[in-house]
């Protein structure tokens, strides 16, 4: 297995990659929290957050992701906040 030539830059700047990492974490971390500490979380909200971030990450691969790291960090934060809000609304509507 060989990494791409600019793997470090992609890891730092790619908001689609970070969306996929955060989406996977939203799906896995609640299970770990329950297994380790016995903490139960809201499965609907976290599922919607995870799926929303994964979908954004997949769609984000189609967008040119250039620019300063701070701009990409702000995009990640803004989209994560939007997906969080939409996920909470979707989970409440489903409950």
């Amino acid at each position: 297995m060989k990494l791409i030539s600019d793997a470090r830059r992609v890891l730092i700047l790619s908001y689609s990659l970070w969306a996929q990492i955060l989406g996977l974490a939203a799906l896995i971390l609640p299970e770990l929290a329950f297994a380790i500490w016995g903490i139960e979380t809201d499965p609907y909200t976290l599922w919607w957050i995870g799926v929303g971030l994964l979908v954004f990450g997949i769609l984000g691969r189609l967008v040119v992701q250039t620019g300063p790291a701070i701009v990409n960090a702000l995009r990640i934060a803004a989209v994560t906040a939007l997906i969080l809000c939409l996920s909470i609304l979707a989970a409440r509507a489903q409950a």
Side-chain angles (χ1 to χ4, degrees), residues 11 14-27 53-54:
L11 183 61
S14 175
Y15 54 86
S16 61
L17 175 66
W18 278 103
Q20 291 180 27
I21 291 169
L22 292 172
L24 186 61
L27 296 174
L53 286 165
L54 289 171

Side-chain angles (χ1 to χ4, degrees), residues 28-41:
I28 292 174
L29 291 179
E31 296 297 326
L32 289 176
F34 183 75
I36 295 171
W37 298 293
I39 299 172
E40 290 191 39
T41 57

Side-chain angles (χ1 to χ4, degrees), residues 15 18-19 22 45 48-49 52-53 56 72-90:
Y15 54 86
W18 278 103
L22 292 172
T45 304
W48 280 106
I49 290 170
L53 286 165
F56 169 70
N72 284 338
L74 291 173
R75 285 182 187 150
I76 293 168
V79 170
T80 302
L82 176 65
I83 290 171
L84 176 65
C85 293
L86 292 174
S87 300
I88 291 171
L89 292 174

